[in-house]
Amino acid sequence: MKKKKLTRWDLQNKKQAGEKVVWITAYDYWNATFAEAAGMDMILVGDSLGMCVYGYEGTVPVTMDQCIVHSEAVRRGAANTFIIGDMPFLSYQVSVPDAVRNAGRFHKEAGVDAIKLEGGKRVCPQIQAIADGGMLVMGHIGLTPQSSGQLGGFKAQGRTAEAAAELIADAKSIQDAGAFALLVEAVPPEVCGIIRDTLTIPVYSIGAGIEADGQLMISADVAGVFQAFTPKFVKKYENLGEKTIQAFSAYRKDVLDGSFPAPEHTYKMKEGELDKLKTLLK
């Protein structure tokens, strides 16, 4: 049975009904097919592809062209899933017209259903302009990797009353600017719960606890592929990194000891054709 792609109103109704939304990142065709087959409600083509795909130390080097290419591949792999394109660093911060133009590229060139951008009050003009352009915008506050330098590194946010109050104010501003949903990252669960109860739009968590309307995880973390580091909020459900190394090592061993390729892995000439060939070569 063909899966029905969710709309923003389906996501809103899930919040009202207290039904959790589950989503994951994907950066290529194959992982998108796996995510859709697993029944994910949404897929984020995150700028985390910088670390998970390209081996960058962070997300800052990621370009619009890279995000578009990966979003295109994900759309082909998950035609019936709600897909969000992640606006990379400097694709929206420079000016409001840049933000609208680049958000439009995600829709025109990759066929996404929405875009996500990081920041609080300072990006509300961009959020409003993109929403006024007829596109869905998701906000993202808390630990915002593109601004990790300002935050002093990849650190949890909102751990004091003052910092939490600022996050709550940012969340309200983002909703007022026209965002259809909000992602909260690396924030104490009680703060995320207050934000969820304060806003009418869905509030999702990555490392912000169970109080949210749903959860996002990085696919490379869930599968145990990303080996560089493991954030506190990650639960690895498999260790495909280690299993892949084992598979590659077994392949190498088989080649070196002559057990691969075996006869069952090769093609045979038609009967009598080898003798004909030998005659032709005389």
Side-chain angles (χ1 to χ4, degrees), residues 162-174:
E162 293 79 7
E166 287 184 18
L167 286 175
I168 294 165
D170 278 339
K172 291 177 181 177
S173 297
I174 288 168

Side-chain angles (χ1 to χ4, degrees), residues 189-204:
E190 52 267 44
V191 178
C192 185
I194 292 171
I195 294 172
R196 176 206 62 198
D197 292 341
T198 300
L199 302 191
T200 58
I201 61 174
V203 174
Y204 302 122

Side-chain angles (χ1 to χ4, degrees), residues 53 83 276:
V53 177
I83 292 175
K276 290 182 182 180

Side-chain angles (χ1 to χ4, degrees), residues 59-255:
T59 61
V60 169
V62 175
T63 67
M64 269 296 298
D65 287 342
Q66 287 173 320
C67 288
I68 294 294
V69 167
H70 286 277
S71 296
E72 257 192 302
V74 169
R75 171 49 77 202
R76 285 192 292 271
N80 302 307
T81 302
F82 191 97
I83 292 175
I84 302 165
D86 206 3
M87 299 277 281
F89 183 61
L90 291 187
S91 67
Y92 58 94
Q93 291 98 333
V94 175
S95 71
V96 169
D98 270 358
V100 175
R101 187 179 304 109
N102 286 322
R105 282 194 64 191
F106 270 106
H107 286 79
K108 288 173 68 68
E109 299 175 39
V112 302
D113 298 289
I115 60 94
K116 179 182 76 64
L117 51 76
E118 297 179 4
K121 296 184 186 73
R122 63 184 178 185
V123 296
C124 284
Q126 288 92 325
I127 291 173
Q128 182 171 349
I130 295 169
D132 287 347
M135 295 171 276
L136 293 176
V137 189
M138 177 181 287
H140 180 173
I141 61 172
L143 171 54
T144 47
Q146 292 174 18
S147 306
S148 60
Q150 285 187 333
L151 300 175
F154 292 91
K155 297 180 179 180
Q157 302 296 305
R159 301 183 70 184
T160 67
E162 293 79 7
E166 287 184 18
L167 286 175
I168 294 165
D170 278 339
K172 291 177 181 177
S173 297
I174 288 168
Q175 175 174 271
D176 292 344
F180 83 99
L182 176 66
L183 177 64
V184 180
E185 180 169 358
V187 166
E190 52 267 44
V191 178
C192 185
I194 292 171
I195 294 172
R196 176 206 62 198
D197 292 341
T198 300
L199 302 191
T200 58
I201 61 174
V203 174
Y204 302 122
S205 158
I206 178 167
I210 202 168
E211 303 297 330
D213 295 310
Q215 298 291 328
L216 167 68
M217 282 283 282
I218 306 295
S219 56
D221 289 332
V222 171
V225 174
F226 188 70
Q227 303 288 308
F229 61 88
T230 303
K232 175 183 175 64
F233 55 78
V234 165
K235 179 177 179 179
K236 291 187 176 182
Y237 287 82
E238 191 48 270
N239 194 346
L240 296 189
E242 185 60 35
K243 289 186 175 181
T244 301
I245 293 170
Q246 291 172 2
F248 289 175
S249 297
Y251 159 60
R252 180 176 182 273
K253 174 182 176 297
D254 284 357
V255 171

Side-chain angles (χ1 to χ4, degrees), residues 8-20:
R8 67 170 298 185
W9 303 118
D10 294 319
L11 297 168
Q12 187 69 44
N13 290 338
K14 284 178 179 289
K15 176 184 176 78
Q16 304 306 325
E19 185 178 343
K20 297 287 187 179

